[in-house]
């Protein structure tokens, strides 16, 4: 069975940089950006995208609903 | 290693969406502080309503407190009640529209302090409503004053030396209190600071709305949440503090089912 791989898309303008997703991620994908967004927060971004499994844990704990999670199984989808 | 390197863009293009913001949340930016549990609680309630397909038939009642603006974020019919009176307003709405789903969304300053009487009597009448009770042990909106649910020894702006039990009493356990009433069908306490608790909390909220559909009586879902601004901590530290201090006094699980 091929490994499931995932990707996250973060709405950087909605993110308030609370850091909860960064600590929740089991594969250390996310980090806070040094650049601030329009509101002056440091938004999260997927620094280590290759490790993402699409487990949704970051999205489940995100209080501002700014994370969309995608999952892909290489051998399943043509 | 059979898989070749695949870029995130390709995953997004070829893969399936496994999580996205529910349609029943508006695109308004939440007014809550970074890391506040209200956002997750809002989302869970709206996800349950969306999955049950009752978005058009649901009326929510917003409280006074941080979540007073819930009507700006929840894309269902909403009514804002006077401080603490959400269960009374919900009673009225439910009796006029018995076929609608009615829920209240209240904080601890609203439900456990000024609205204690309304809560207890609505539960005692067994009104067929869902009460979502966010307990963060403090008055968040007004600047971190002591709430009835503030823990013993916990510092707040009106208990700067910590809550003293001989003079200020014990933190009130509202969910246990109303669970004794025969009108209450379901009383449970959940949390939203970690993914495993979020999943359980969603199931509890779903059960509460199903109870309303099946005319079983009042369902109260308490959600132990954080208030990192009021507790004067970072969001991550606040969640850790919650786990170590709030959960021993407010244990999670079903109190009545």
């Amino acid at each position: 069975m091929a490994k499931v791989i995932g990707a996250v898309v973060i709405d950087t303008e909605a993110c308030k940089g609370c850091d909860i997703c960064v600590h929740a991620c089991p594969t250390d994908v996310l980090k806070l950006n040094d650049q601030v967004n329009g509101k002056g927060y440091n938004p999260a971004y997927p620094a280590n995208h290759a490790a993402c499994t699409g487990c949704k844990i970051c999205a489940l704990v995100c209080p501002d609903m700014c994370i969309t999670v995608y999952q892909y199984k290489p051998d399943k989808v043509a | 290693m059979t898989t070749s390197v695949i870029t995130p863009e390709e995953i997004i293009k070829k893969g399936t969406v496994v999580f996205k913001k529910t349609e029943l949340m508006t695109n308004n930016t939440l007014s809550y502080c970074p890391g506040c549990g209200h956002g997750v609680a809002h989302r869970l309630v709206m996800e349950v309503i969306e999955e049950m397909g009752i978005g058009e038939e649901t009326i929510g009642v917003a409280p006074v407190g941080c979540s007073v603006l819930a009507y700006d974020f929840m894309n269902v019919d909403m009514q804002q009640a006077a401080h603490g009176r959400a269960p009374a307003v919900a009673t009225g709405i439910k009796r006029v529209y018995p076929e609608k789903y009615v829920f209240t969304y209240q904080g601890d300053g609203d439900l456990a302090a000024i609205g204690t009487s309304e809560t207890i009597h609505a539960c005692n009448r067994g009104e067929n409503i869902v009460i979502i009770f966010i307990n963060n042990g403090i008055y968040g909106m007004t600047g971190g004053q002591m709430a009835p649910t503030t823990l013993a020894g916990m510092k707040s702006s009106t208990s700067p030396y910590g809550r003293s039990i001989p003079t200020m009493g014990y933190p009130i356990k509202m969910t246990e209190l109303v669970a004794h009433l025969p009108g209450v069908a379901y009383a449970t306490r959940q949390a939203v600071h970690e993914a495993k608790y979020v999943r359980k909390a969603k199931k509890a909220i779903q059960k509460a709305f199903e109870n309303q559909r099946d005319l079983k009586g009042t369902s109260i879902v308490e959600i132990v949440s954080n208030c990192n601004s009021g507790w004067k901590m970072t969001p991550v530290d606040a969640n850790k503090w919650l786990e170590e201090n709030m959960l021993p006094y407010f244990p999670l699980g079903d109190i009545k089912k």
Side-chain angles (χ1 to χ4, degrees), chain A residues 23-60:
Chain A
H23 282 77
C25 178
T27 53
D28 296 330
V29 172
L30 301 166
K31 272 201 174 72
L32 290 191
N33 204 329
D34 292 336
Q35 306 271 316
V36 293
N37 65 10
K39 291 199 284 289
Y41 295 118
N42 297 88
Y45 76 106
N48 180 20
H49 226 148
C52 183
T53 60
C55 70
K56 304 191 284 190
I57 284 177
C58 55
L60 285 173

Side-chain angles (χ1 to χ4, degrees), chain A residues 2 5-7 9 16 18-20 23 39 41 49 54-57 59-65 67-72 74 77, chain B residues 3 6 8 11-12 14-21 25 29-32 34-36 39-40 43 193-195 198-199 235-236 239:
Chain A
I5 45 179
V9 176
K16 294 177 185 164
C18 69
D19 211 19
I20 289 178
H23 282 77
K39 291 199 284 289
Y41 295 118
H49 226 148
C55 70
K56 304 191 284 190
I57 284 177
L60 285 173
V61 296
C62 175
D64 291 283
M65 292 154 272
I67 305 179
T68 308
V69 185
Y70 296 83
Q71 222 174 33
Y72 176 58
V77 183
Chain B
T3 51
I6 182 164
I11 299 172
I12 291 163
K14 293 181 187 168
T16 49
V17 179
V18 288
F19 186 96
K20 71 178 173 80
K21 183 173 170 175
M25 287 297 293
T29 307
L30 294 179
S31 57
Y32 306 115
C36 177
V40 181
R43 175 173 68 75
H193 61 290
E194 275 180 26
V198 173
R199 290 195 177 97
V236 174
N239 283 348

